[in-house]
Amino acid sequence: SNRSSAAPPSDRPGERRAAEMKKLYGKDAAKILAMEAAMQLTFDRNCDRKQPKYWPVIPLKL
Amino acid sequence: SIPTSAGADTEQLLEEQHARSVLRERFLRCLLAMSNKKVHFRMHEKVNVEATFGASDIDVLNFQVSDLHTPIGVQKEALIRCHDVISLTFEV
Amino acid sequence: MQCGWLQSGPQLWLSCVHRQVMVKAQGEEHRGWLLTVDPVSRSVVLLDLRAEGASVRVVMGHAVEHVEVLQEADQETLERIRSFFVPQETLSLDP
């Protein structure tokens, strides 16, 4: 599966990411974060449901 | 630090953040516009394939696609590594 | 990647949106109207206008070697470009 496992609670990845987003996107951070979350959710859900395999199996370019 | 230069720095930062978010939003909308469209991929090693676009992860590392027409047949569900891709096109 | 344009950052990229650019990537040259540059992956998105319809080309950031700004869009072209993608942000772009 392509879904990453739940991060340890001590790590607080959500908060760290929100702070990074704020630095990059300022007042629009929440909007961009929401759009990205929706997109990633679609990607993860599709991967869970369809179980796609890499093509080509070996990367063309490393 | 001198207040005026700090003010100018802040303004510069705000403009840069604005530009970055406009560009990023436009890019995300473009990826969203691709879903369910037939997309042509030009890849390294002169590989050209077509597939129905599903979704991209947000770091633009993988594309999830369906009905991938490869030179050796059709793969119903596939992941394409973005690093294998040079460019992709779709009709609008 | 040895392109000054790509190193120049979001403000300059935004100022080039809707201009015609030429992108060189892995021996290929692509001309089109710049829709955006992804600030995360540096991928360049071009709109190719034809007599009927249009296509969008995304050139992956890692493959981009060179970007050259060719010309501004005239009013008619600008309206065609905007008719394909109309996020609200288009309105806040400088003319």
Side-chain angles (χ1 to χ4, degrees):
Chain A
S1 165
N2 302 282
R3 205 184 269 277
S4 59
S5 60
S10 58
D11 201 18
R12 316 293 285 260
E15 269 175 43
R16 201 180 51 227
R17 179 150 167 74
E20 277 167 20
M21 294 292 282
K22 186 83 191 159
K23 209 166 103 189
L24 286 172
Y25 301 105
K27 65 178 173 58
D28 295 321
K31 181 172 70 173
I32 302 290
L33 199 60
M35 286 184 77
E36 289 189 352
M39 213 172 84
Q40 187 68 43
L41 186 68
T42 306
F43 179 85
D44 290 344
R45 209 176 39 205
N46 287 0
C47 288
D48 279 353
R49 198 187 297 157
K50 298 161 186 276
Q51 298 288 316
K53 299 282 181 289
Y54 273 112
W55 190 90
V57 176
I58 311 286
L60 292 171
K61 201 159 190 210
L62 296 171
Chain B
S1 63
I2 307 157
T4 49
S5 85
D9 282 355
T10 307
E11 199 167 304
Q12 158 70 18
L13 179 70
L14 290 177
E15 271 178 38
E16 193 179 311
Q17 287 172 339
H18 171 73
R20 192 178 285 117
S21 55
V22 172
L23 293 165
R24 180 66 169 164
E25 179 172 354
R26 288 173 71 98
F27 184 71
L28 294 174
R29 283 181 189 278
C30 171
L31 290 177
L32 290 174
M34 277 201 292
S35 58
N36 299 319
K37 287 226 168 68
K38 193 164 267 180
V39 173
H40 184 94
F41 295 88
R42 298 178 79 95
M43 302 171 73
H44 287 286
E45 309 303 330
K46 298 190 195 306
V47 174
N48 286 290
V49 293
E50 262 192 6
T52 303
F53 196 83
S56 166
D57 56 15
I58 56 170
D59 299 315
V60 203
L61 294 174
N62 301 289
F63 294 134
Q64 173 261 320
V65 302
S66 301
D67 293 320
L68 174 69
H69 287 67
T70 80
I72 53 159
V74 178
Q75 185 169 324
K76 189 83 192 95
E77 305 293 347
L79 277 179
I80 291 180
R81 297 175 192 84
C82 298
H83 272 87
D84 283 346
V85 178
I86 298 170
S87 72
L88 48 121
T89 51
F90 64 103
E91 301 292 311
V92 287
Chain C
M1 193 152 28
Q2 71 271 57
C3 173
W5 192 84
L6 268 195
Q7 307 304 329
S8 61
Q11 276 158 290
L12 190 111
W13 297 337
L14 185 61
S15 73
C16 294
V17 161
H18 296 162
R19 289 186 185 169
Q20 190 183 43
V21 299
M22 197 270 290
V23 179
K24 232 165 130 175
Q26 305 292 312
E28 296 173 2
E29 286 186 2
H30 304 292
R31 252 167 223 259
W33 303 96
L34 185 71
L35 291 178
T36 191
V37 182
D38 177 32
V40 175
S41 66
R42 295 179 186 220
S43 299
V44 179
V45 185
L46 304 176
L47 181 70
D48 183 20
L49 289 172
R50 293 186 302 265
E52 290 280 319
S55 62
V56 172
R57 182 183 299 271
V58 181
V59 187
M60 303 308 294
H62 68 87
V64 174
E65 287 151 6
H66 184 77
V67 180
E68 200 178 317
V69 181
L70 300 176
Q71 60 167 323
E72 301 257 353
D74 59 33
Q75 198 54 39
E76 194 192 331
T77 310
L78 205 54
E79 276 162 30
R80 278 195 73 195
I81 297 169
R82 284 180 173 161
S83 72
F84 285 102
F85 275 88
V86 266
Q88 307 107 297
E89 281 64 30
T90 312
L91 302 171
S92 64
L93 288 178
D94 291 327

